[in-house]
């Protein structure tokens, strides 16, 4: 089998930015622990915070989900844990190489970078990418860094247009001149990669899907209402959520969410606002507790005089999910949200934002959204 070669030059410590130096320190500390354990005859081990629902809690004062203190110990000399321990060290080694060489790669790229048959055995380091991705998340939470700080990215799955000029990897991007497709929001949007040069926007409007975003962009909503318009292709990926967080916290822009009137739209809002249960360890750098839900609302079928043809009947999964969301601690004591979800269940149907097109092709951009913003008619 051909041996892997390393031809890329390693950067000196002075060539690394502060964030990379900090991440590198955490990675090297893992390696140091292995050496110290070997020197003292101890069993090398890594403590991984438990990424389970039972180890997640809602912090009322901070208003977002955070991870608890429970941890799982991963030991080298435990037969049940040896493989996962070695996989964790292997991912850390791959991330150290990327940072030291000033390079990035995709999650898929990391899988192939580390995948090989273990010498003297038939065992593969990783059986599939899903296994590799899970270990990457373990490493993130173990050393308290973002995946993006490990120089790893996922595919782009969102877009932005509007009254902001930014610098992306040294290139100046004027988001008022991005045509019909907009600026493709990258997976890595950290300050070392993306800087805000100029912003004249007064708020951010985040819509759920590309189809609705295109209507807003074509109608130049962002120009008429002096805003930034984003979408995340449904459930927003981490790059989009992280960018929204930065726009809100660094530029002090209010964030409004225009999402479908269904349990999944409610859940997307919940993730943007409080963080996700699965990635609770990243809420402090992604959650936007002050985000507001602009619509679509359960009352809109009557208020907007929509026709029966736009109704989508709730199924058992929808109903179960809606009841689960009603019990989320951050919704459970908010009467407007309890009323909203109860009305959805009483209606027996859900609505997509696109249903407003049945009124007029630009009803959502010219009447519905401007009125909601003008009247302050949203849920918090």
């Amino acid at each position: 089998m051909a041996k892997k070669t390393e031809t890329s030059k390693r950067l000196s410590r002075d060539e690394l930015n502060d964030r990379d130096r900090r991440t590198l320190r955490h990675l090297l500390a893992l390696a140091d622990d292995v050496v110290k354990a070997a020197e003292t005859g101890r069993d090398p081990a890594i403590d991984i915070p438990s990424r389970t629902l039972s180890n997640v809690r809602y912090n009322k004062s901070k208003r977002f989900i955070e991870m608890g203190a429970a941890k799982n110990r991963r030991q080298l000399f435990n037969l049940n844990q040896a493989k996962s321990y070695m996989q964790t060290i292997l991912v850390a080694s791959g991330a150290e190489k990327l940072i030291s060489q000033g390079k990035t790669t995709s999650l898929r790229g990391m899988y192939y970078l580390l995948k090989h048959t273990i010498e003297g055995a038939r065992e593969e380091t990783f059986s599939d990418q899903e296994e590799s991705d899970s270990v990457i998340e373990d490493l993130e939470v173990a050393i308290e860094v973002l995946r993006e700080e490990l120089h790893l990215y996922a595919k782009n799955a969102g877009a932005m247009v509007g009254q902001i000029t930014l610098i992306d990897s040294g290139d100046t991007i004027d988001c008022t001149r991005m045509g019909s497709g907009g600026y493709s929001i990258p997976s890595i949007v950290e300050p070392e990669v993306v800087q805000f040069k100029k912003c004249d926007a007064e708020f951010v409007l985040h819509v759920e899907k590309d189809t609705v975003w295109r209507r807003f962009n074509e109608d130049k909503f962002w120009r008429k209402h002096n805003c930034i318009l984003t979408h995340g292709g449904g459930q927003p990926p981490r790059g989009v959520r992280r960018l929204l967080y930065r726009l809100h916290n660094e530029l002090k822009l209010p964030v409004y969410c225009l999402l479908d009137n269904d349990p999944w739209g409610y859940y997307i809002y919940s993730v943007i606002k409080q963080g996700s249960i699965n990635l609770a360890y990243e809420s402090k750098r992604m959650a936007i507790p002050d985000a507001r839900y602009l619509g679509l609302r359960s009352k809109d079928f009557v208020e907007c005089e929509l026709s029966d043809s736009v109704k989508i009947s709730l199924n058992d999964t929808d109903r179960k999910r809606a009841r689960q969301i009603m019990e989320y601690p951050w919704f459970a004591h908010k009467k407007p949200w309890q009323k909203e979800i109860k009305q959805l269940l009483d209606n027996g149907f859900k609505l997509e934002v696109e249903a407003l097109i049945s009124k007029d092709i630009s009803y959502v951009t010219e009447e519905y959204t401007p009125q909601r913003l003008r009247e302050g008619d949203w849920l918090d």
Side-chain angles (χ1 to χ4, degrees), residues 142-166:
I143 63 175
E144 295 186 349
V145 301
L146 293 170
R147 178 179 69 199
E148 293 73 17
E149 292 172 321
L150 297 172
H151 284 215
L152 295 170
Y153 60 83
K155 67 179 182 179
N156 296 3
M160 178 169 74
V161 69
Q163 307 285 12
I164 187 170
T165 300
L166 50 84

Side-chain angles (χ1 to χ4, degrees), residues 105-348:
T105 192
S106 64
L107 296 175
R108 187 70 170 171
M110 178 63 103
Y111 166 63
Y112 278 113
L113 179 67
L114 302 178
K115 181 177 172 60
H116 63 270
T117 304
I118 299 173
E119 188 174 350
R122 296 181 180 179
E123 187 79 21
E124 293 285 322
T125 50
F126 294 101
S127 57
D128 53 38
Q129 186 186 334
E130 184 176 342
E131 190 175 29
S132 172
D133 288 352
S134 179
V135 174
I136 289 169
E137 290 186 357
D138 287 340
L139 182 62
E140 283 183 277
V141 68
I143 63 175
E144 295 186 349
V145 301
L146 293 170
R147 178 179 69 199
E148 293 73 17
E149 292 172 321
L150 297 172
H151 284 215
L152 295 170
Y153 60 83
K155 67 179 182 179
N156 296 3
M160 178 169 74
V161 69
Q163 307 285 12
I164 187 170
T165 300
L166 50 84
I167 298 174
D168 183 341
S169 302
D171 296 324
T172 299
I173 310 293
D174 182 350
C175 290
T176 66
R177 303 172 63 87
M178 296 304 297
S180 61
Y183 166 69
S184 179
I185 299 174
S187 174
I188 301 178
V189 296
E190 298 312 297
E192 290 78 15
V193 177
V194 176
Q195 299 93 41
F196 304 136
K197 182 178 180 181
K198 178 184 177 183
C199 180
D200 296 320
E202 296 176 2
F203 64 92
V204 179
L205 178 66
H206 179 79
V207 300
E208 184 170 342
K209 291 170 286 191
D210 171 70
T211 51
V212 178
W213 182 91
R214 285 179 179 273
R215 169 51 43 212
F216 277 88
N217 189 21
E218 185 175 305
D219 290 350
K220 295 294 185 287
F221 179 91
W222 50 269
R223 178 173 292 158
K224 296 174 184 175
H225 297 276
N226 202 33
C227 71
I228 294 169
L229 180 66
T230 64
H231 82 80
Q235 175 70 30
R238 289 161 51 154
V240 173
R241 289 172 54 198
R242 180 71 176 140
L243 184 62
L244 288 173
Y245 175 94
R246 290 192 59 204
L247 290 170
H248 176 70
N249 286 277
E250 295 175 29
L251 301 182
K252 309 304 178 186
L253 298 178
V255 175
Y256 301 97
C257 301
L258 182 64
L259 310 166
D260 287 345
N261 170 232
D262 64 16
W264 316 110
Y266 300 157
Y267 178 72
I268 289 172
Y269 174 66
S270 171
V271 166
I272 291 172
K273 188 176 179 71
Q274 273 84 31
S276 68
I277 293 172
N278 193 42
L279 297 176
Y281 56 93
E282 294 187 349
S283 294
K284 61 185 177 184
R285 291 186 281 188
M286 285 192 184
I288 308 172
D290 290 323
R292 293 154 175 166
Y293 186 93
L294 200 66
L296 212 60
R297 304 269 289 282
S298 297
K299 65 179 184 176
D300 288 335
F301 179 77
V302 173
E303 287 195 2
C304 297
E305 300 179 337
L306 299 176
S307 67
D308 288 342
S309 62
V310 302
K311 294 179 179 178
I312 303 173
S313 297
L314 295 177
N315 56 36
D316 291 342
T317 301
D318 292 328
R319 293 179 180 279
K320 180 180 178 181
R321 193 77 180 97
R323 293 189 182 99
Q324 288 175 340
I325 292 172
M326 285 184 83
E327 295 175 3
Y328 283 176
W330 46 97
F331 287 151
H333 303 295
K334 290 188 175 181
K335 291 182 179 179
W337 268 108
Q338 293 297 305
K339 179 181 178 181
E340 166 67 25
I341 300 173
K342 184 178 183 302
Q343 187 171 351
L344 172 80
L345 293 169
D346 290 344
N347 284 349

